[in-house]
Amino acid sequence: MESASVAANPTSAVGSTTIADLLPKAVERYGPQRAVLYKDDSGQWVSRSYSQVGEIVRKLALGLIDLGVEKGDKVSILGNTRAEWTYFDFAALTAGATVVPIYQTNSPEECQYVLENSDARVVIVEDAEQLEKVRSVRANCPRLEHVIRMTGTGGGAISMEELSERGASRDESEWRERWSSVGPDDICTFIYTSGTTGPPKGCVISHGNYRAMLDMVVQKNVLEGGDELTYLFLPLAHSFALLIQFGSFELGATLAYWERDPLRIMANLAEVKPTYFPSVPRIFEKIYTAATSAVEKEGGLKKRIFDWSVGVGKRYREAERSGGAGALLALQHRIADRLVLHKIRNLFGGNLRVAVSGAAPINPDILRFFDAAGVLVLEGWGMTETSTAATIATPDDFKFGTIGKPFPGVELKIAEDGEILVKGPNVFQGYYKNEEATNETIVDGWLHTGDLGEVDADGYLKITGRKKDIIITAGGKNITPANLEAEIKQHPLVSQCVVIGDRRPYLVALVTLDPEEAVKYASEHGLDPDPEAIAANPDVHASIMAHVDQINSKFARVEQVKKVKVLPRDFSHEGGELTPSMKVKRSSVAVKYDGDVEKLYASG
């Protein structure tokens, strides 16, 4: 099935030229092969072939067309990563629509912003919980015409079955005509990402952008076809997961979906035995803890054997990559593998070819630990504005502690101030309805990433910091602290607030008291007026925490502040926390109060 708009792409494994024709061409090529794997309501793993997925998608796409969805209309998807998310994504894309993902953890207010700003005509919700979010804000979304459910029925929404029945009544030629009409310049998706200040910005990514990114993935053999099985728990609202979805269908691989339970990720890995595992540092950290905690507690001979085995594994991997291991080291490795290393591999299912860590930095020591056991975890780097990625490390070309080298076709340079600049066919089209932000981000064709970095003598890129104050949690979620801080400072006692959480499991906040208000509060409540006494008073802390809890209700769980430390003195220029213009120096605050931050996290 050739696209009517452009010639087949020679780089594509299936001859796709856009993301709209990707699914139909994959179905044509891989028909009987397994496409998706997921657990059904009975707890059994079930699969669907490419042909079966194609049939589901065709009916849903024609159902959307029957509802009146036109080429270029915005269709939003709100839900967890699951097979139905993929079906509806491809349905909207093959109908020529622009897909607007929303994180399942978003609050109703955050959902409203995306639906309203994107001009979405349709929103597809996962279940009753997500439906309620939309129902609570629907009156504020005048362009929203239809709500569709992935699961269940009722609530004033169209069920998946009803939509499919509507599509079944229409001719397949309408579907072919629609996806064939989409060209590289048409818009594939809006993905909303938070900036340093203000509301989220919708990254406009064209079919050409994502097709170019997918071509790079194919060229660098990031994913393989055939027996490749990818386990996916990352939110499909994120560009990283979306690229993995597209890549799996491009190459005829199998996509296995999580059970939508964070506590089941390790169990799922053991069950599906993936060959490819895209993840975030937090999960690798948890698996590392699972591999080491018991032996650390037990100590003694078991710990000595464990440490010896890991040490042998590291030496063996180094020898392998520099010409081969000698007979003695090879013998030691067989023993170490039988005693310890194979158990670590089995935590990933025992069949892993490679894992990829993205979205946030990861400790290189953890990477070396897993590598010693035969689990290669590589890092890549990019952003939504690069249609997911800009650099990649491969099994044949990597260096721990770096984020690889640029993809083919991507240019990279370091500006005078250390900022990483990127140019390439995968660079997005700009921010929706935000020309000012677009012009600030893309200058003379170069994307200003906001990240600081350096390229070593071997050409590997290393991130050294960020110009922007975006927090990236251990789970890989990008969070803008400025909005939270501004709201927390609304408490009458609070003067300054700095939210901390980079590479941490959750957010905490350091707050200072307004000197005048604090003295007034002490007088009114018969407290010791000493600043340290006021800061340490449990009633003061409780009052501020109650305020924070109210604020938290407006944000997604991952964006909520879990703990607060009240500092005894306000920030000042003299104390090194403020600039001459009275702006908070975040890095200085983080360093100066590192001990207080560590205590917050250590308290559980």
Side-chain angles (χ1 to χ4, degrees), residues 440-520:
E440 290 174 355
T441 303
I442 302 178
V443 181
D444 297 327
W446 287 94
L447 174 70
H448 287 240
T449 68
D451 283 331
L452 304 174
E454 57 190 26
V455 179
D456 69 14
D458 298 317
Y460 296 98
L461 179 64
K462 181 177 182 180
I463 298 292
T464 59
R466 281 184 295 279
K467 289 181 70 174
K468 301 176 182 179
D469 293 327
I470 292 178
I471 291 172
I472 304 179
T473 67
K477 175 68 176 178
N478 285 20
I479 295 171
T480 303
N483 297 331
L484 276 168
E485 290 162 353
E487 295 219 33
I488 292 172
K489 287 196 290 185
Q490 293 302 305
H491 189 285
L493 284 175
V494 175
S495 173
Q496 297 283 0
C497 176
V498 174
V499 171
I500 306 283
D502 212 41
R503 290 172 287 182
R504 303 282 195 168
Y506 50 83
L507 303 183
V508 300
L510 301 175
V511 302
T512 66
L513 301 178
D514 180 283
E516 293 182 7
E517 291 296 328
V519 170
K520 186 190 300 182

Side-chain angles (χ1 to χ4, degrees), residues 533-553:
I534 300 173
N537 186 277
D539 290 337
V540 171
H541 184 274
S543 175
I544 294 173
M545 200 63 223
H547 173 67
V548 170
D549 288 340
Q550 282 187 322
I551 294 166
N552 282 339
S553 66

Side-chain angles (χ1 to χ4, degrees), residues 34-361:
R34 184 177 64 180
V36 299
L37 181 67
Y38 59 92
K39 270 196 176 179
D40 63 14
D41 293 338
S42 69
Q44 300 298 311
W45 288 99
V46 296
S47 64
R48 294 285 180 267
S49 69
Y50 276 83
S51 293
Q52 289 173 315
V53 171
E55 186 68 6
I56 293 168
V57 169
R58 178 183 64 81
K59 291 178 181 177
L60 292 176
L62 287 170
L64 291 173
I65 292 171
D66 196 64
L67 285 180
V69 171
E70 302 285 349
K71 181 180 174 183
D73 280 347
K74 317 305 186 304
V75 173
S76 190
I77 304 178
L78 169 61
N80 267 290
T81 291
R82 56 189 298 154
E84 290 86 351
W85 207 110
T86 297
Y87 302 157
F88 275 106
D89 189 33
F90 279 123
L93 291 170
T94 55
T98 294
V99 175
V100 183
I102 304 178
Y103 285 99
Q104 78 276 5
T105 54
N106 276 15
S107 68
E109 291 81 8
E110 290 168 324
C111 295
Q112 176 190 326
Y113 178 83
V114 173
L115 291 170
E116 197 174 3
N117 183 263
S118 67
D119 304 314
R121 286 187 64 197
V122 177
V123 61
I124 298 149
V125 299
E126 179 182 11
D127 51 22
E129 179 186 354
Q130 303 298 345
L131 174 61
E132 186 54 38
K133 292 179 184 179
V134 173
R135 291 181 66 184
S136 68
V137 300
R138 187 168 183 177
N140 299 318
C141 303
R143 294 182 183 83
L144 186 62
E145 298 174 24
H146 303 287
V147 181
I148 301 167
R149 296 180 65 144
M150 294 183 195
T151 64
T153 60
I158 301 167
S159 72
M160 182 174 174
E161 291 73 20
E162 289 169 339
L163 187 70
S164 183
E165 287 172 7
R166 294 181 71 143
S169 67
R170 302 183 76 100
D171 195 273
E172 182 179 353
S173 62
E174 289 186 84
W175 185 49
R176 181 191 297 262
E177 184 178 316
R178 187 66 70 88
W179 59 254
S180 296
S181 71
V182 177
D185 292 335
D186 290 317
I187 304 306
C188 175
T189 184
F190 293 170
I191 299 181
Y192 279 76
T193 181
S194 297
T196 53
T197 58
K201 299 189 290 289
C203 294
V204 179
I205 301 175
S206 70
H207 282 269
N209 289 146
Y210 246 127
R211 186 62 255 179
M213 187 73 254
L214 201 49
D215 293 342
M216 296 173 193
V217 165
V218 172
Q219 190 173 342
K220 293 298 290 184
N221 297 314
V222 174
L223 286 165
E224 295 183 356
D227 295 332
E228 187 88 294
L229 190 154
T230 297
Y231 175 71
L232 191 65
F233 75 92
L234 299 171
L236 278 163
H238 192 284
S239 60
F240 187 16
L242 208 54
L243 180 64
I244 298 303
Q245 172 188 272
F246 294 151
S248 293
F249 277 78
E250 169 77 27
L251 295 165
T254 300
L255 201 56
Y257 300 82
W258 73 320
E259 289 186 67
R260 302 179 297 283
D261 180 356
L263 299 178
R264 293 288 298 165
I265 290 176
M266 289 184 63
N268 286 172
L269 289 171
E271 291 169 354
V272 305
K273 304 183 187 307
T275 58
Y276 186 82
F277 179 43
S279 187
V280 291
R282 185 62 184 155
I283 299 302
F284 293 114
E285 290 162 2
K286 286 183 177 180
I287 297 175
Y288 173 80
T289 299
T292 59
S293 59
V295 74
E296 287 289 339
K297 289 178 183 177
E298 192 163 340
L301 179 60
K302 280 195 174 182
K303 186 176 188 311
R304 289 197 295 273
I305 293 173
F306 186 89
D307 292 343
W308 174 83
S309 298
V310 172
V312 167
K314 289 179 180 178
R315 293 195 299 275
Y316 183 79
R317 296 300 167 200
E318 289 172 5
E320 254 191 337
R321 292 171 184 136
S322 59
L328 177 59
L329 181 57
L331 174 61
Q332 291 175 328
H333 181 258
R334 285 196 294 275
I335 296 169
D337 195 72
R338 188 164 60 248
L339 292 172
V340 172
L341 303 182
H342 81 281
K343 297 176 183 178
I344 299 172
R345 286 198 302 278
N346 286 344
L347 293 173
F348 293 91
N351 201 31
L352 202 61
R353 177 180 65 84
V354 68
V356 176
S357 179

